[in-house]
Amino acid sequence: MNVSRPRVLLAVVVAGMLLLALVIMSPMMMTSIPSFIGNGGEQPDCTDDGTRVQEASDSAAADIPAEYLELYRKHGEKVGVQWSVLAAVGKRETNHGRSDLPGVKSGTNYAGAAGPMQFLISTWGGKARIPMSSQFNGYASDGDGDGVGDVYNPADAILGAAKMLKRNGAPENVRGALFVYNRAWWYVDQVQEIARGYAKSGEVEVPPEADDACDDPLVEAAPSDVVAKILAYALDQRGKPYVWGGTGPDSFDCSGIVFAAYRAAGLSIPRTTFTQWPFGVKIEQGSEQPGDLVFFDAGPGTSPNNPGHVGMVVSKGKMVEARCRLCGPIKVTAYDNRDKIVGFTRPLRNPDVIAQLERLENA
């Protein structure tokens, strides 16, 4: 017993010293814990605030004629597509108009394509040169302001190509847009490789709202499970095209995506913008929350008292919207910098919707 007592005392002393050391060190240890644990980290910026203008690489400056490079950048920024992708299409099709093959400077090639961006005449609008004041169905464009859409004019053809890429998914879904331009995946791969070489960053950069990471933080921040279901459905439609009258599943118009999102949560609301506007309870700007609707005086036959466009609020200052046929696919955009806002409504406060919610809760 007398022999073991010193050992016990020694153990107690050692334990006490270890405990004291831990107490002293604990603040230091706490400061080393990563700050992202438990707070979800910084949320991505998921808003489409316009096309990010990439710098041209040295190889782009050396390979692309100065006139063409200026047009690619000008019309790419104007329409909202990557200039590097436009330039890559021009390179792949006609070497920026330098090719002497049939159809580049006159006539058509064996497939019926014409001009530096190789449009099918039918896709351009039915004729190679079209007065812009006339009625036509196609991508004919006036890029130089002379009043004529000339498929052989680089300014016109590049603007038309930008519109076509935008219509079919760019800048978010570049591969899908290029596939529509020329329906072969090897072509898509080649154009993207050229575009990467033309960009100083070496990448075909896409807007942040194209990132799936933009969905989860917005849904998780929803004020209720019902709103989370509504947002999850609406955000899942990003990248799909605008089609007038569309209610899904492949395409939507502005009110169609709102209608379908509420339906996905088991709720029935009016189908059109004109009927959705008086349906929800009006709320003041600044008090809106996810799931609310924001209306605009936009489109033919609309007015400040009869809005023609609607988006769904996903967070303060941001909405998911299907905007128009030539505006690109469904995406998250900023509304606080847009003009002609008519007002905000909250469909979830409509008495009929409240009754629907009660039935769902009791089911």
Side-chain angles (χ1 to χ4, degrees):
M1 294 291 294
N2 291 335
V3 175
S4 62
R5 187 174 181 180
R7 294 178 180 174
V8 172
L9 290 174
L10 179 61
V12 170
V13 171
V14 172
M17 293 176 66
L18 288 172
L19 180 61
L20 179 61
L22 285 172
V23 170
I24 295 172
M25 292 178 62
S26 60
M28 298 171 58
M29 294 173 66
M30 287 299 291
T31 59
S32 67
I33 296 176
S35 61
F36 61 80
I37 293 180
N39 62 18
E42 184 178 350
Q43 293 188 4
D45 178 7
C46 303
T47 307
D48 175 23
D49 291 323
T51 305
R52 284 74 183 160
V53 180
Q54 293 181 275
E55 292 187 51
S57 65
D58 292 341
S59 61
D63 184 49
I64 304 172
E67 174 194 359
Y68 273 72
L69 180 57
E70 181 181 353
L71 290 171
Y72 292 136
R73 302 192 72 149
K74 173 184 175 181
H75 292 315
E77 183 176 358
K78 176 181 179 180
V79 175
V81 299
Q82 297 90 335
W83 72 264
S84 58
V85 175
L86 262 181
V89 171
K91 173 67 174 180
R92 177 61 183 77
E93 295 291 349
T94 67
N95 193 21
H96 310 301
R98 291 179 291 215
S99 172
D100 292 323
L101 291 173
V104 177
K105 299 178 177 65
S106 63
T108 62
N109 68 6
Y110 69 95
M117 302 304 282
Q118 291 291 277
F119 272 96
L120 295 175
I121 294 298
S122 59
T123 304
W124 185 250
K127 296 187 296 183
R129 296 176 177 86
I130 302 176
M132 298 309 294
S133 58
S134 63
Q135 296 293 321
F136 63 92
N137 183 19
Y139 289 99
S141 303
D142 180 13
D144 60 0
D146 65 357
V148 177
D150 185 347
V151 75
Y152 303 106
N153 182 317
D156 297 351
I158 291 170
L159 177 56
K163 291 179 179 178
M164 186 173 181
L165 291 171
K166 179 78 171 183
R167 170 67 181 85
N168 292 297
E172 297 89 352
N173 185 4
V174 173
R175 290 186 63 80
L178 289 172
F179 184 78
V180 175
Y181 204 98
N182 188 332
R183 294 182 179 277
W185 289 115
W186 58 261
Y187 174 89
V188 174
D189 292 338
Q190 287 183 5
V191 171
Q192 285 198 295
E193 183 63 27
I194 296 169
R196 284 191 286 269
Y198 281 164
K200 187 173 182 179
S201 66
E203 299 291 337
V204 177
E205 296 181 7
V206 298
E209 73 276 7
D211 188 349
D212 289 340
C214 292
D215 291 359
D216 292 344
L218 296 172
V219 173
E220 291 168 0
S224 69
D225 291 341
V226 171
V227 174
K229 290 179 182 178
I230 294 170
L231 293 187
Y233 182 91
L235 290 166
D236 196 44
Q237 311 316 307
R238 288 181 310 113
K240 293 183 179 179
Y242 172 99
V243 172
W244 187 83
T247 57
D250 299 322
S251 60
F252 299 84
D253 65 12
C254 66
S255 58
I257 187 174
V258 172
F259 172 78
Y262 273 78
R263 183 177 57 190
L267 301 173
S268 177
I269 66 170
R271 158 68 185 90
T272 67
T273 305
F274 299 119
T275 52
Q276 288 173 0
W277 168 241
F279 181 80
V281 173
K282 305 296 188 297
I283 56 175
E284 293 294 325
Q285 184 168 0
S287 62
E288 70 272 13
Q289 64 184 29
D292 291 343
L293 306 183
V294 52
F295 293 85
F296 301 85
D297 175 11
T302 66
S303 68
N305 296 320
N306 193 34
H309 181 60
V310 62
M312 180 189 296
V313 176
V314 295
S315 65
K316 281 292 178 68
K318 299 178 182 179
M319 63 181 172
V320 59
E321 68 169 338
R323 188 170 184 180
C324 72
R325 186 175 65 86
L326 296 177
C327 299
I330 295 167
K331 65 186 75 173
V332 172
T333 61
Y335 62 76
D336 51 4
N337 60 359
R338 292 261 286 270
D339 58 3
K340 296 188 176 182
I341 292 180
V342 173
F344 296 79
T345 71
R346 186 164 297 161
L348 291 176
R349 286 177 55 184
N350 178 280
D352 184 51
V353 174
I354 292 174
Q356 294 178 52
L357 289 168
E358 291 175 350
R359 288 194 294 271
L360 289 173
E361 186 176 350
N362 297 326

